Amino acid sequence: MTKPSLSDLLKRAAERDREAFRLLYAAIGPRVKGFVLARCREEGLAEEITQEVLLTVWRRADRYDAGRASAETWIFTIARNRVVDSLRHRRVVEADQRDPQFVPDPPESLDAVVDAQKRAERIGAALDELPEAQREVLVQSFYEALSYPEIAEREGVALGTVKSRARLAFQRLRAILAGEDEP
Amino acid sequence: MTAPTHHLPEDWLIAYAGGGLTEAQCVVVATHLTLCPACRQTLAIAEEAAASTLMRAEAPLDPAGLDALMARLDEPEAPEPPAPVDAVLPWPVLRFTGPLAGQPWKWLGPGVHGVDLPQPTDGLPLRLIRMRAGARMPHRHEGFESGVVLAGGWDDEYGTYRRGDATVYAPDTHPTHDQRIHDDADCIAIVLNESRAVVEGRLFGPLARLLFRI
Ligand SMILES: [Zn+2]
């Protein structure tokens, strides 16, 4: 029997399946904590935030949309928001589909439903193909939540260089994704 | 309505994906994302990349954690506050300002009124601006100015802006701003002026304020 995927486990958790939630916790909990610990550098707090993240995952599981993001990424956004909330004492402001002003996706993008899971895997692989300097900017801006001026200072390069590296890295990611989308 | 044609720079979306923006910047980004399916697509890629970069390393969980968590699954959740509704303002703005009708507009200059948003955590000057239909307001940028058009629109030397369009003006690339508000309706926008705090403490502050009360 193959291991159930994260997105299967999430779907079952949405149906209030506690056993699925246990498996989900074991599958993703250590990586959630790895991320939280890197940001807060304090074992007890990291454990506490990780618990809150997983509790939120349980409560919001029915809002997960597999066409929009991989399960891993959806859980990551919850962890990211919780970290910002706990460490910076503010909430991440997000677009919300329930907002009456929310402009829905155009119908053509619904026809070409992306497999978010596959896309996530390709992005992971594409990241490894980026030139070192470009990847480094992405990693520092993501990983350490450093601002571009902070990265520029650390790397000893101009702010404009950091921004253009970030944009180049991103364009490269997109190009790699687009190339692989072709039949 | 038509989709926005002026988008957020990708480096803003990358920083947003990693959780690196200030709260005031998040308001600008989330407002545009509410109105722009294209930038939501870009953000989806940035978030996948962020997740795959950031959730690689594992940290061992406290062995007692799972039981503690399972015991909390049935805990009642605090009810969410009732969702606000406004015909113009998206939630990322609305939750700070309340409905558009009845805003305590302050006169900022000829044809311009504004309301400061309460920003307790970063102290960046985020403002709802109302500009009179047909007004012309040339000014200079001493620092970053970003924002999203919420109603009406304008033309300037960089293009035509309408509801949903994002503006990110840097002083080096967009030093001047010859804003001509469209004639058909007042223009409402959310604007983050990162220079204001700096400008006011400097020599050119009073001059800049006289010119446009920024
Ligand atoms: Zn956009």
Side-chain angles (χ1 to χ4, degrees):
Chain A
M1 208 182 109
T2 55
K3 246 171 76 179
S5 70
L6 275 184
S7 95
D8 290 338
L9 291 173
L10 253 185
K11 219 173 291 168
R12 284 166 53 194
E15 291 155 5
R16 306 292 80 172
D17 178 340
R18 285 166 178 263
E19 193 46 39
F21 182 71
R22 280 178 183 275
L23 295 172
L24 186 69
Y25 176 88
I28 196 73
R31 276 188 290 153
V32 170
K33 188 171 172 184
F35 161 65
V36 177
L37 191 59
R39 285 274 163 102
C40 81
R41 299 170 199 279
E42 196 190 308
E43 170 66 31
L45 184 59
E47 181 70 29
E48 192 184 305
I49 292 174
T50 302
Q51 298 261 326
E52 291 297 328
V53 170
L54 269 297
L55 187 58
T56 304
V57 167
W58 168 256
R59 287 173 170 171
R60 303 265 182 279
D62 60 334
R63 293 196 202 161
Y64 170 63
D65 176 355
R68 212 166 273 282
S70 68
E72 186 184 21
T73 297
W74 185 74
I75 293 169
F76 161 73
T77 59
I78 291 174
R80 172 200 68 194
N81 293 357
R82 176 61 70 167
V83 163
V84 168
D85 185 51
S86 303
L87 301 184
R88 297 203 193 167
H89 305 289
R90 63 170 180 79
R91 284 198 292 168
V92 168
V93 187
E94 289 189 294
D96 191 322
Q97 273 181 280
R98 298 167 300 165
D99 184 343
Q101 299 304 327
F102 188 88
V103 175
D105 295 333
E108 59 265 34
S109 70
L110 293 179
D111 293 342
V113 175
V114 254
D115 183 333
Q117 196 64 47
K118 284 218 178 72
R119 186 179 62 181
E121 284 162 19
R122 292 212 308 256
I123 289 172
L127 274 170
D128 292 334
E129 290 178 34
L130 289 178
E132 180 66 29
Q134 292 176 16
R135 186 174 55 242
E136 196 51 33
V137 171
L138 281 188
V139 167
Q140 289 187 21
S141 57
F142 288 148
Y143 191 77
E144 299 172 73
L146 288 180
S147 66
Y148 291 116
E150 287 167 331
I151 296 172
E153 196 181 320
R154 178 187 289 193
E155 301 276 298
V157 295
L159 178 58
T161 308
V162 172
K163 286 188 181 179
S164 71
R165 277 181 189 169
R167 274 195 288 267
L168 279 173
F170 205 70
Q171 277 158 20
R172 184 89 195 97
L173 268 191
R174 280 191 153 174
I176 292 169
L177 281 176
E180 288 190 19
D181 276 339
E182 281 159 20
Chain B
M1 70 164 281
T2 51
T5 54
H6 296 276
H7 300 282
L8 290 165
E10 278 171 348
D11 53 76
W12 276 54
L13 294 172
I14 291 166
Y16 180 87
L21 292 183
T22 65
E23 189 172 57
Q25 290 170 328
C26 282
V27 172
V28 171
V29 172
T31 300
H32 180 69
L33 289 171
T34 302
L35 303 172
C36 184
C39 282
R40 290 201 301 269
Q41 280 285 332
T42 307
L43 178 68
I45 296 173
E47 285 181 335
E48 300 285 2
S52 91
T53 315
L54 300 182
M55 290 209 306
R56 276 192 182 170
E58 300 196 343
L61 295 164
D62 179 346
L66 180 56
D67 286 341
L69 183 58
M70 296 307 287
R72 293 179 63 194
L73 294 189
D74 297 323
E75 261 179 24
E77 204 181 343
E80 287 192 45
V85 177
D86 190 85
V88 173
L89 304 181
W91 283 357
V93 175
L94 189 56
R95 52 180 266 210
F96 291 102
T97 59
L100 188 60
Q103 286 297 319
W105 295 105
K106 279 188 317 191
W107 187 85
L108 299 176
V112 198
H113 286 76
V115 180
D116 284 329
L117 270 67
Q119 284 297 324
T121 56
D122 332 293
L124 282 175
L126 188 60
R127 205 174 241 185
L128 201 57
I129 298 269
R130 193 185 73 208
M131 293 165 285
R132 199 180 55 224
R136 183 167 181 173
M137 283 169 303
H139 60 280
R140 291 188 66 79
H141 295 142
E142 306 293 354
F144 254 106
E145 184 185 293
S146 55
V148 181
V149 183
L150 298 172
W154 70 76
D155 285 310
D156 62 26
E157 53 271 64
Y158 313 111
T160 297
Y161 293 80
R162 297 193 185 83
R163 177 168 164 88
D165 281 328
T167 63
V168 176
Y169 295 136
D172 49 342
T173 50
H174 306 73
T176 62
H177 194 191
D178 185 12
Q179 233 176 341
R180 302 179 299 277
I181 310 305
H182 293 161
D183 288 327
D184 47 350
D186 283 359
C187 176
I188 309 277
I190 182 85
V191 174
L192 175 60
N193 195 321
E194 301 192 22
S195 69
R196 189 152 58 105
V198 179
V199 167
E200 288 182 349
R202 300 243 178 110
L203 188 62
F204 47 80
L207 260 181
R209 279 208 306 282
L210 253 178
L211 195 64
F212 190 53
R213 296 239 173 167
I214 52 175

